[in-house]
């Protein structure tokens, strides 16, 4: 049974969502939108913005419930209470997902997504008509290379020094997903449509969900993280199948963008097991840059005088994510003093301020020295 405080948080948040949705529906009626179909299918960005509004609310609810159910870090938590808290967490997560699916409209796949700026064919002398969308196809090659390199280093002489079995499984799934992106995304860009897009997005979900499991293993609990690998992978696959059969991108949007929020926060707030934790943040920066370039596909193509498009640059920037993570695995060692990045930054800032505030105090003493005249 959920406590009354938790019920109050949930009910208040659900009512807030319902009222906000009602106001939005009334606004759409006044502006001539079809209330049954939701926003116009071409206004995909509006749907995503609304979805993220609901998502931020749900994250706030989860954080509030975590505070209500949490205990002091200095007091050990009994196993029975830990299991009960875990069940509460799963229950709240499922409930939030159900509420999200009820109160938000479906997000269909816009066919304008397949209309990329750079559709040039190159290598026409080698192949009869050239490779369709050549630069968007060959720019996926780095994914295949870094994915295969990562797999080899994971198993060749334990170069990555993966000490936990769950880590090995998690990073194996990640590098398989990265290598598969190089194949699946190239296949999609040869003939962009919804059917081929499945093989572009499926490997990405494998990589995203594997990273979440790895974070749970390294920063929360090894056993829970290892057990979560299969359910998270299944959640990613189901989100792709749901989109393909029901033309609704909401589950896939959660699978893709929730790690973009959770991973940087976990990297900053949770103490790491290994050194070189800042590489996670560099990877997140390059992924964010890749999404910006994807959104500005046609604009960048115009700015570069039709030399390169934003989508091609997006592939190259996104490929830097596994590059940084591979460098991290190669360099890192066991962290002897586990401190979160936030705590390290606070200590560094405090020392910097203290250094600036320090003043040198000097005391000078003056004395008269008698002078003896020679006779």
């Amino acid at each position: 049974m959920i406590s009354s405080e938790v019920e109050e948080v949930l009910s208040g948040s659900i009512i807030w969502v319902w009222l906000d949705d009602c106001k939005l529906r009334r606004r759409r009626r006044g502006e001539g939108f079809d209330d049954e179909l939701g926003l116009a299918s071409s206004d995909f960005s509006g749907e995503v913005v609304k979805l993220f509004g609901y998502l931020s609310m749900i994250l706030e609810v989860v954080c509030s419930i975590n505070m209500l159910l949490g205990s002091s870090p200095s007091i050990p938590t009994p196993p029975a209470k830990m299991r009960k808290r875990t069940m509460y967490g799963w229950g709240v997560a499922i409930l939030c997902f159900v509420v999200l699916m009820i109160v938000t409209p479906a997000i269909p796949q816009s066919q304008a997504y397949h209309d990329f700026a750079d559709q040039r064919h190159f290598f026409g002398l080698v192949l009869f008509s050239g490779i369709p969308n050549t630069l968007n196809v060959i720019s996926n090659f780095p994914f295949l290379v870094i994915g295969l390199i990562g797999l080899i280093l994971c198993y060749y002489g334990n170069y990555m020094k993966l000490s936990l079995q769950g880590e090995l499984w998690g990073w194996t799934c990640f590098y398989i997903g990265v290598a598969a992106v190089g194949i699946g995304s190239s296949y999609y860009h040869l003939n962009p449509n919804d059917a081929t897009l499945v093989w572009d997005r499926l490997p990405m979900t494998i990589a995203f969900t594997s990273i979440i499991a790895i974070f749970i293993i390294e920063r929360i609990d090894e056993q829970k993280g290892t057990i979560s690998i299969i359910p998270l992978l299944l959640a990613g696959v189901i989100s792709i199948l749901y989109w393909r059969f029901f033309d609704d991108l909401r589950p896939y949007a959660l699978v893709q963008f929730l790690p973009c929020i959770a991973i940087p926060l976990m990297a900053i707030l949770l103490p790491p097991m290994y050194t070189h934790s800042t590489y996670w943040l560099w990877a997140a920066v390059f992924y964010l840059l890749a999404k910006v370039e994807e959104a500005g596909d046609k604009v960048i193509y115009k700015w570069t005088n039709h030399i390169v498009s934003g989508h091609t640059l997006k592939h190259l920037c996104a490929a830097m994510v596994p590059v940084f993570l591979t460098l991290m695995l190669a360099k890192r060692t066991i962290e002897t003093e586990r401190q979160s990045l936030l705590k390290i930054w606070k200590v560094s800032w405090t020392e910097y301020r203290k250094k600036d505030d320090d003043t040198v105090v000097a005391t000078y003493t003056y004395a008269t020295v008698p002078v003896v005249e020679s006779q």
Side-chain angles (χ1 to χ4, degrees):
M1 180 68 72
I2 299 178
S3 63
S4 59
E5 293 89 350
V6 176
E7 289 180 352
E8 184 178 354
V9 172
L10 282 174
S11 61
S13 302
I14 293 171
I15 291 172
W16 179 84
V17 172
W18 180 77
L19 290 174
D20 184 70
D21 191 61
C22 289
K23 289 188 287 185
L24 180 61
R25 289 176 183 273
R26 285 197 299 268
R27 195 181 305 122
R28 290 208 301 259
R29 289 195 191 100
E31 296 175 0
F33 283 91
D34 187 350
D35 188 58
E36 295 299 324
L37 297 178
L39 293 174
S41 60
S42 61
D43 194 7
F44 177 74
S45 60
E47 293 284 11
V48 174
V49 169
K50 183 183 177 186
L51 176 62
F52 275 100
Y54 287 108
L55 178 58
S56 62
M57 180 278 304
I58 288 177
L59 288 174
E60 184 179 351
V61 173
V62 173
C63 292
S64 301
I65 292 174
N66 184 54
M67 293 174 60
L68 291 171
L69 297 177
S71 58
S72 174
S74 61
I75 302 175
T77 304
K81 189 173 182 180
M82 180 64 72
R83 287 194 297 269
K84 187 176 181 181
R85 188 185 302 173
T86 303
M87 294 301 296
Y88 278 158
W90 278 107
V92 169
I94 294 173
L95 179 60
C96 289
F97 176 75
V98 171
V99 170
L100 184 70
M101 295 298 290
I102 291 175
V103 301
T104 59
I107 303 178
Q109 176 64 60
S110 173
Q111 294 307 301
Y113 178 83
H114 307 302
D115 182 25
F116 298 104
D118 189 357
Q119 301 181 12
R120 293 173 294 177
H121 292 209
F122 292 137
F123 308 115
L125 296 178
V126 180
L127 302 174
F128 293 105
S129 60
I131 300 175
N133 311 305
T134 305
L135 293 184
N136 284 343
V137 171
I138 64 175
S139 58
N140 286 289
F141 184 69
F143 288 105
L144 179 61
V145 173
I146 191 62
L148 294 177
I149 290 175
L151 280 174
I152 293 172
L153 294 180
C154 281
Y155 288 92
Y156 180 74
N158 194 22
Y159 182 81
M160 300 294 194
K161 299 180 179 65
L162 301 175
S163 57
L164 304 176
Q165 187 63 47
E167 282 185 305
L168 181 60
W169 293 346
W171 285 110
T172 298
C173 292
F174 172 74
Y175 282 116
I176 289 175
V178 170
V181 167
I183 300 173
S185 185
S186 297
Y187 173 67
Y188 162 66
H189 284 286
L190 287 171
N191 182 24
N193 58 68
D194 285 357
T196 56
L197 184 57
V198 172
W199 304 107
D200 180 19
R201 287 176 170 170
L202 186 58
M204 287 193 289
T205 61
I206 294 174
F208 292 142
T209 53
S210 300
I211 286 295
I212 291 294
I214 290 168
F215 253 89
I216 297 174
I217 292 171
E218 291 186 1
R219 307 199 179 214
I220 298 177
D221 184 83
E222 176 191 352
Q223 183 180 6
K224 292 178 181 178
T226 304
I227 295 174
S228 69
I229 293 176
I230 299 299
L232 287 172
L233 290 175
L234 288 176
V237 172
I238 291 172
S239 71
I240 296 295
L241 295 177
Y242 186 87
W243 156 64
R244 190 68 184 98
F245 287 103
F246 298 101
D247 194 23
D248 186 359
L249 287 169
R250 287 177 296 172
Y252 172 73
L254 290 177
V255 170
Q256 184 181 20
F257 292 108
L258 192 57
C260 299
I261 302 172
I263 289 176
L265 287 178
M266 293 170 72
I268 293 172
L269 299 177
L270 299 181
M273 183 186 298
Y274 301 99
T275 60
H276 294 82
S277 186
T278 52
Y279 278 79
W280 286 106
L281 299 183
W282 282 110
V285 168
F286 270 88
Y287 186 77
L288 178 60
L289 179 60
K291 301 307 291 183
V292 172
E293 291 168 340
E294 180 183 28
D297 180 31
K298 292 180 172 61
V299 175
I300 294 174
Y301 191 55
K302 183 178 179 181
W303 284 352
T304 59
N305 198 23
H306 297 180
I307 296 175
V308 64
S309 68
H311 202 84
T312 299
L313 294 177
K314 173 242 184 178
H315 289 163
L316 299 177
C317 276
M320 291 300 297
V321 173
V323 169
F324 274 106
L325 297 183
T326 303
L327 291 174
M328 178 192 69
L329 291 176
K331 292 183 176 183
R332 71 183 189 177
T333 57
I334 298 293
E335 182 66 78
T336 55
E337 296 182 4
R338 297 186 62 175
Q339 290 184 337
S340 66
L341 286 175
L342 181 62
K343 187 173 182 180
I344 293 173
W345 291 343
K346 283 183 176 180
V347 171
S348 300
W349 176 249
T350 302
E351 292 177 350
Y352 175 77
R353 292 292 299 273
K354 184 178 180 181
K355 183 178 179 180
D356 285 349
D357 292 341
D358 285 345
T359 56
V360 177
V361 179
T363 304
Y364 300 93
T365 303
Y366 299 92
T368 58
V369 178
V371 177
V372 179
E373 296 182 359
S374 58
Q375 298 296 328

